[in-house]
Amino acid sequence: MPKAVFLYSDEFAHYDYGLTHPLKMRRLRLVYELLHAYGVFADPDVALIEPKPAREEDARSFHTEDYLAVLRALDEGIYPSNPYAYGLGPGDNPIFPGLYRLALLITGSSLEAARLVDARETPVAFSVAGGLHHALPHRASGFCYLDDPVIAIKWLLERGHRVAYVDIDAHHGDGVQLAFYDTDRVLTISLHEDGRFLFPGTGFVDELGEGAGYGYSVNVPLYPGTDDETYVWAFEEIVPPLIELYRPDVLVTQLGVDSFATDPLTDLRLTTHGYTRVVARLKSFGLPWVALGGGGYNLSNVARAWTLAFAIMCGIELPDELPPAGRDALRREGFDVRHLRDPEPTTSSDPRVREQAEKSVRYIQEHVLRRLAARS
Ligand SMILES: [Zn+2]
């Protein structure tokens, strides 16, 4: 049994959101190239699997029939008369050739990760293209057309699992929260930049779920400028105790890297230091683990952080000096980088950073952790 599986297809890089769009599909090829340059795929205990597109009926578990019909028609060259009604058109969710095929391929990748983990064929599968957590049942949102995390989690629920979903993307995982807002069979936890300052404008502490799902939707909004130290502190205060109390069968994580200091779209200030501490902590839970990608708009960060994340999943330590082929791949994208890790962790001197983290943590301790502890 491989100790970790990496799901990747060269086909991802064949699609293009457009020249000025921040989401570059070729970032995934860069991750693959860097891992390859480090020789990770030469390890006989590591498997590289090429995913296949999901079937449309898989997407039906979350998305509406009319939205899927619009996406299907687009790939056949038929444009809807009202694309904006489906979140489509110039801007965040452009219409480009093959977009539905791409969305199904990404969803197929995350479903295959779920299948591998459910079948105990590997303890952890990394669907690096996945984690498109903003897509809504009837519309595209935030660069996401199909919500692969939701579709993969629904598939796991059908097999009787209880799932904990942990989302460390800089943006709130709104689509996933919405999908499981009224159930206690999925615990969603999202750490993100405060919705007052960043898309999608949701994910406040008091969004706790409803009905049977009350107390199973957890949000940790963080102040712009949140550094490694404060981020890791908040994560440690909330995520491990919640996992311990909830005792899920499967862990699903969205590992977006747009939380980094040098990401062009957000204001959090993580580096590889804080990020890898969090990923290592997720691994330490020892749960069957479906790992998904997510946001990340600085290509050097994406390549380095997801290489480090997959190395943690594999339990291997990579040297900090980039191998020549890895340096060349990054140079091709305009990054003259010598090292895998960022030089120093960040610390913030803005008192609002710590204040808000403490406020969010206290609220969750009072309204979620105490309640969950009383039940178990
Ligand atoms: Zn994001």
Side-chain angles (χ1 to χ4, degrees):
M1 176 166 92
K3 58 189 176 190
V5 172
F6 189 79
L7 289 135
Y8 173 75
S9 170
D10 275 333
E11 194 185 326
F12 293 136
H14 296 174
Y15 302 95
D16 192 352
Y17 277 62
L19 199 59
T20 56
H21 197 284
L23 182 58
K24 307 292 182 203
M25 291 308 293
R26 63 181 195 277
R27 71 197 182 128
L28 304 174
R29 189 173 61 203
L30 215 49
V31 183
Y32 167 80
E33 284 177 319
L34 194 50
L35 283 164
H36 189 266
Y38 267 111
V40 172
F41 300 124
D43 184 332
D45 294 329
V46 173
L48 177 63
I49 291 181
E50 184 168 353
K52 292 184 182 64
R55 299 161 308 167
E56 191 168 281
E57 66 181 88
D58 296 319
R60 277 197 196 107
S61 69
F62 183 54
H63 294 285
T64 60
E65 190 55 46
D66 64 326
Y67 174 53
L68 294 175
V70 165
L71 294 180
R72 191 190 322 123
L74 278 176
D75 271 12
E76 290 159 6
I78 304 160
Y79 278 53
S81 54
N82 53 343
Y84 278 110
Y86 301 96
L88 301 162
D92 279 4
N93 316 300
I95 293 167
F96 57 87
L99 83 84
Y100 190 39
R101 161 87 188 179
L102 171 64
L104 287 170
L105 185 59
I106 292 169
T107 303
S109 172
S110 299
L111 275 171
E112 177 64 6
R115 191 199 66 76
L116 288 161
V117 167
D118 169 63
R120 304 279 165 148
E121 289 180 32
T122 182
V124 50
F126 188 12
S127 171
V128 69
L132 302 182
H133 58 173
H134 297 305
L136 298 171
H138 57 291
R139 59 183 289 139
S141 177
F143 317 160
C144 308
Y145 299 91
L146 295 179
D147 207 310
D148 64 283
V150 170
I151 296 164
I153 292 169
K154 283 187 177 264
W155 188 90
L156 290 164
L157 292 181
E158 271 173 35
R159 274 140 198 91
H161 297 299
R162 271 157 60 86
V163 176
Y165 171 79
V166 180
D167 186 324
I168 61 169
D169 194 278
H171 300 92
H172 175 228
D174 56 342
V176 186
Q177 172 173 300
L178 173 82
F180 306 112
Y181 208 56
D182 60 356
T183 177
D184 58 3
R185 290 188 60 213
V186 182
L187 168 68
T188 62
I189 309 170
S190 179
L191 287 88
H192 47 262
E193 183 175 338
D194 190 316
R196 288 174 297 166
F197 307 101
L198 190 69
F199 178 89
T202 52
F204 297 99
V205 280
D206 57 356
E207 294 167 29
L208 289 167
E210 59 191 22
Y214 185 83
Y216 296 91
S217 168
V218 177
N219 288 291
V220 189
L222 297 163
Y223 204 74
T226 293
D227 55 310
D228 283 316
E229 194 186 328
T230 308
Y231 189 97
V232 173
W233 174 80
F235 180 92
E236 284 290 337
E237 289 292 312
I238 296 302
V239 181
L242 274 174
I243 297 291
E244 201 165 298
L245 286 167
Y246 186 69
R247 279 176 283 137
D249 306 309
V250 181
L251 177 67
V252 177
T253 63
Q254 200 272 21
L255 302 177
V257 291
D258 46 10
S259 54
F260 276 46
T262 45
D263 191 274
L265 296 195
T266 75
D267 313 297
L268 298 182
R269 290 189 57 238
L270 262 68
T271 68
T272 53
H273 297 276
Y275 184 79
T276 53
R277 282 181 61 188
V278 165
V279 175
R281 195 71 174 97
L282 292 167
K283 181 181 165 79
S284 78
F285 299 144
L287 290 161
W289 183 9
V290 178
L292 310 173
Y297 308 100
N298 171 306
L299 271 58
S300 167
N301 291 346
V302 172
R304 291 178 303 113
W306 284 345
T307 293
L308 284 161
F310 190 60
I312 291 168
M313 293 172 204
C314 298
I316 53 179
E317 180 85 11
L318 296 176
D320 197 39
E321 180 90 18
L322 288 177
R327 279 194 69 182
D328 289 347
L330 281 165
R331 199 179 289 127
R332 202 181 60 221
E333 293 292 345
F335 295 95
D336 187 14
V337 187
R338 285 180 170 275
H339 299 284
L340 184 58
R341 294 165 186 86
D342 291 318
E344 294 287 332
T346 47
T347 49
S348 172
S349 55
D350 184 345
R352 290 171 298 184
V353 162
R354 188 72 188 194
E355 271 163 31
Q356 173 151 346
E358 284 176 2
K359 208 169 128 198
S360 294
V361 164
R362 264 200 311 275
Y363 188 94
I364 297 158
Q365 284 170 338
E366 277 167 34
H367 291 83
V368 181
L369 274 164
R370 196 180 293 169
R371 185 186 152 88
L372 208 56
R375 284 193 164 197
S376 60

